[in-house]
Amino acid sequence: MDRVYNVSTVRVFTLSAFNDTMSHRVTIFSLSLLCYSLILFINVSLVVIIILDENLHEPMYILLCVSCINGLYGTSSFYPKFLFDLLSSSQVVSYGGCLCQAFAMYSFVCSDTSILTVMAYDRYLAICRPLQYRSVMTKKRLSQLVCISWLTPFCIFSINILLTTRLTFCGTDIQRLFCVNWLIVKLACPGTDTFVNNVFAMTTLSIYTGHLLFVVWTYMYVVKTCVKSKKDRAKFMQTCVPHLISLLTFFVIVVSDLMHMRFTSKDSPQSFRNFVAVAVLFFPPIMNPLLYGFKLNKIRSRILTLVHVRQR
């Protein structure tokens, strides 16, 4: 008879996706440490530059700063534990730690979605409603939008995690490099009521799909406006192109991961599944600061000034 676990006895989950990485652990550890160090350096640098330079205290740059902070939050919930697991003989995580990591990962992704949506709204106002921009995008309004971008995912996934804690589990094997709430729910014993969890997950997915539709709506108007004016086209190339690249990259990565996690066969190579899983923790946190740093004139000028001063 199979042993049955419940929430009172399951104290540790096993991250079985590490099985294929152990033969290359030194190489993977070195590359991951380099990657995480680079993420910390470029994101912290950009945050400090924006905070210290009053000329950058504008909505677009503040939102970029918020995006970098969110990137630091998300990657810090993964890389330290991942690096530790690579050096460890067993890749396990406590029940409470697994739930905390799942919460951090989901809230990071959804906060990023919200921030990118607010950035799209900001560009819509700047290009399509320039005369109303200052009166609408005030410091108070910006603060409210940033708070909503962070607090809404936190509240949603607090409920999500609480719903998970009521489940009874019959397994401890998570086929992932990190904890994901949906995979935790899949470990629930047969007959356990997971209907509420699934409904809440679909509701959450619908909310953030609505974010995407809003972004599409704003850019329809932005493109329509830019076609009519050479000045607006220049503004679009300067400020909207980095945002669009960030948005499309983020969307493709997240959707690929969701589809891969739910529908891809277990026969697919584990290394490929691992790459898809960690892509959201690698590409956006590195690409976004570099993309904006080189594309936006004020930030690029500030960076070049600092480099020039250090060389003197």
Side-chain angles (χ1 to χ4, degrees):
M1 183 176 179
D2 293 336
R3 183 178 178 183
V4 177
Y5 299 87
N6 59 41
V7 79
S8 63
T9 58
V10 172
R11 296 301 181 191
V12 173
F13 288 106
T14 302
L15 301 173
S16 61
F18 276 91
N19 293 341
D20 284 1
T21 66
M22 290 298 101
S23 58
H24 307 286
R25 69 166 72 195
V26 175
T27 302
I28 295 173
F29 178 87
S30 301
L31 292 175
S32 298
L33 181 61
L34 177 63
C35 173
Y36 186 47
S37 300
L38 182 62
I39 288 172
L40 289 176
F41 175 74
I42 60 178
N43 280 275
V44 170
S45 297
L46 205 55
V47 168
V48 171
I49 287 172
I50 293 173
I51 290 175
L52 296 181
D53 193 338
E54 292 186 1
N55 294 322
L56 298 177
H57 291 181
E58 299 177 10
M60 181 172 59
Y61 301 107
I62 292 173
L63 290 171
L64 175 58
C65 179
V66 171
S67 178
C68 291
I69 293 172
N70 191 60
L72 290 169
Y73 160 68
T75 53
S76 295
S77 67
F78 168 72
Y79 280 100
K81 176 69 169 66
F82 177 66
L83 292 169
F84 175 80
D85 283 335
L86 286 172
L87 299 178
S88 178
S89 58
S90 61
Q91 292 72 43
V92 297
V93 57
S94 68
Y95 174 77
C98 193
L99 293 179
C100 287
Q101 188 178 51
F103 170 82
M105 298 302 295
Y106 275 113
S107 57
F108 153 67
V109 171
C110 290
S111 293
D112 227 26
T113 305
S114 297
I115 293 165
L116 288 168
T117 303
V118 175
M119 293 174 81
Y121 177 63
D122 175 74
R123 292 300 84 205
Y124 163 76
L125 289 175
I127 294 175
C128 301
R129 301 285 187 272
L131 298 179
Q132 302 172 16
Y133 181 76
R134 294 296 178 185
S135 60
V136 174
M137 193 57 78
T138 60
K139 289 185 178 180
K140 181 179 179 180
R141 176 67 58 81
L142 181 62
S143 300
Q144 291 172 341
L145 291 172
V146 169
C147 288
I148 291 172
S149 297
W150 270 336
L151 293 179
T152 301
F154 285 8
C155 293
I156 289 175
F157 289 106
S158 292
I159 298 172
N160 213 323
I161 295 301
L162 285 174
L163 290 173
T164 302
T165 60
R166 68 185 180 84
L167 301 178
T168 302
F169 298 101
C170 287
T172 60
D173 186 19
I174 297 176
Q175 297 178 347
R176 197 79 164 182
L177 295 173
F178 52 86
C179 292
V180 179
N181 190 58
W182 185 73
L183 294 180
I184 299 173
V185 172
K186 282 184 67 178
L187 297 176
C189 295
T192 302
D193 181 17
T194 60
F195 177 76
V196 177
N197 297 72
N198 293 329
V199 169
F200 198 82
M202 292 305 297
T203 302
T204 304
L205 183 61
S206 299
I207 291 171
Y208 288 96
T209 300
H211 283 53
L212 174 65
L213 295 176
F214 177 79
V215 171
V216 172
W217 177 82
T218 57
Y219 268 101
M220 285 174 59
Y221 280 91
V222 168
V223 172
K224 184 179 178 180
T225 302
C226 290
V227 169
K228 302 175 182 178
S229 168
K230 182 179 291 187
K231 181 180 179 181
D232 286 332
R233 283 200 296 272
K235 187 183 292 186
F236 178 87
M237 294 301 296
Q238 182 68 32
T239 62
C240 294
V241 168
H243 178 255
L244 271 177
I245 295 174
S246 299
L247 190 69
L248 289 173
T249 303
F250 182 79
F251 173 73
V252 170
I253 289 172
V254 172
V255 171
S256 298
D257 186 33
L258 287 173
M259 299 299 289
H260 199 270
M261 182 169 57
R262 291 180 178 259
F263 302 113
T264 301
S265 170
K266 292 182 180 179
D267 295 331
S268 61
Q270 184 65 58
S271 56
F272 177 72
R273 282 185 277 165
N274 289 344
F275 173 79
V276 173
V278 302
V280 73
L281 295 156
F282 173 73
F283 290 106
I286 288 180
M287 185 184 72
N288 292 352
L290 292 176
L291 187 65
Y292 282 99
F294 284 106
K295 188 66 177 174
L296 299 181
N297 287 332
K298 286 188 177 181
I299 293 180
R300 186 170 67 247
S301 298
R302 181 59 176 163
I303 292 173
L304 292 175
T305 300
L306 291 174
V307 171
H308 181 69
V309 169
R310 287 190 175 187
Q311 290 177 344
R312 297 180 66 179

